[in-house]
Amino acid sequence: MEAFVGKQYKLDSSEKFDDYMKAVGVGLVTRKMGNAVSPVVELKMDGDQYVLSSTSTFKNVVTKFKPGVEIDDETPDGRKVKSTYNVNGNVITEKQIDSAGKVTIIDRTWSNDEIKMVLKVDNIVCTRIYKAQA
Ligand code: DKA
């Protein structure tokens, strides 16, 4: 992942995001904002911790994690979740468990050009493509 540290990626396309947000219980007003914004994602390192940030006009979120270590996390819409991140080559996989026990799996596959983010919950598969900024 070191090759991608410090690069910024902006949301370029999104499929089934509204369905995903509905499935995890995001309300109508927040879903409208979620559908309207194009966050910028950046990965940094702080010692042995990964620092994943997502910045938008709706919400700025910074998550610090060590691979395999469960953390208390908060989603951009304010849900408290338990998250475990794992890193395999250029893929960061996040397992998120919300307060009702619902599990979301989020894969982020990094390349020089883009991050392909795939969010799976229930039977929904949402795909979001972030493009590298010049
Ligand atoms: C992303 O980082 C999407 C992450 C999912 C957030 C859940 C709902 C947010 C509503 C604003 O691209």
Side-chain angles (χ1 to χ4, degrees):
M1 290 305 300
E2 286 72 17
F4 310 116
V5 166
K7 277 183 77 108
Q8 295 190 332
Y9 298 82
K10 186 169 188 181
L11 184 71
D12 185 68
S13 65
S14 185
E15 282 176 18
K16 297 208 163 62
F17 189 49
D18 200 52
D19 292 340
Y20 172 77
M21 289 190 288
K22 274 185 200 167
V24 294
V26 180
L28 178 65
V29 174
T30 305
R31 289 207 313 276
K32 279 193 174 174
M33 286 190 277
N35 282 321
V37 293
S38 296
V40 173
V41 166
E42 185 174 351
L43 182 71
K44 291 188 177 161
M45 300 295 299
D46 180 4
D48 61 350
Q49 295 202 94
Y50 291 78
V51 183
L52 191 55
S53 67
S54 171
T55 306
S56 75
T57 48
F58 172 61
K59 193 76 174 262
N60 299 335
V61 179
V62 179
T63 304
K64 282 191 176 191
F65 66 88
K66 287 183 190 174
V69 179
E70 186 179 82
I71 55 169
D72 290 313
D73 215 353
E74 188 171 326
T75 62
D77 52 299
R79 287 170 296 122
K80 308 272 191 214
V81 294
K82 303 267 185 199
S83 294
T84 307
Y85 292 79
N86 279 292
V87 182
N88 281 305
N90 60 334
V91 183
I92 297 180
T93 298
E94 174 186 357
K95 181 177 181 183
Q96 209 180 72
I97 307 175
D98 73 12
S99 55
K102 186 171 271 205
V103 176
T104 293
I105 303 291
I106 303 174
D107 284 331
R108 295 174 176 87
T109 302
W110 301 69
S111 69
N112 273 326
D113 296 338
E114 67 180 32
I115 303 168
K116 182 178 182 185
M117 183 180 193
V118 179
L119 304 95
K120 294 182 185 164
V121 67
D122 300 336
N123 61 345
I124 293 159
V125 180
C126 161
T127 303
R128 286 161 71 75
I129 305 292
Y130 284 76
K131 291 286 184 193
Q133 300 298 282

